[in-house]
């Protein structure tokens, strides 16, 4: 079975907020955008808070 996905780039200015969720040793970054109600969630295994702007 093949999984279809869409690759799309967006400028940083389109990001309204980023939420960081932690569960055990997994971190999730949830990106909310200004022009849509859809979000993007990225699961990472290690803390990446140093890479996020203040």
């Amino acid at each position: 079975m093949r999984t279809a996905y869409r690759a799309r780039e967006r400028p940083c200015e389109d990001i309204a907020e980023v939420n960081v969720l932690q569960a055990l040793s997994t971190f999730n970054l949830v990106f909310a955008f200004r022009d849509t109600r859809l979000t993007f969630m990225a699961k990472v295994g290690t803390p990446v808070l140093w890479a996020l702007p203040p």
Side-chain angles (χ1 to χ4, degrees):
M1 179 198 265
R2 299 179 79 190
T3 302
Y5 66 93
R6 294 182 290 181
R8 183 174 168 188
E9 292 183 16
R10 301 196 58 163
C12 290
E13 293 81 23
D14 286 353
I15 299 173
E17 66 181 13
V18 179
N19 293 315
V20 180
L21 308 174
Q22 180 182 5
L24 299 174
S25 62
T26 301
F27 288 82
N28 292 323
L29 303 178
V30 183
F31 295 86
F33 298 96
R34 298 186 190 281
D35 60 348
T36 182
R37 292 177 50 184
L38 299 177
T39 60
F40 172 77
M41 181 179 285
K43 181 184 277 189
V44 293
T46 57
V48 294
L49 299 179
W50 57 268
L52 297 175

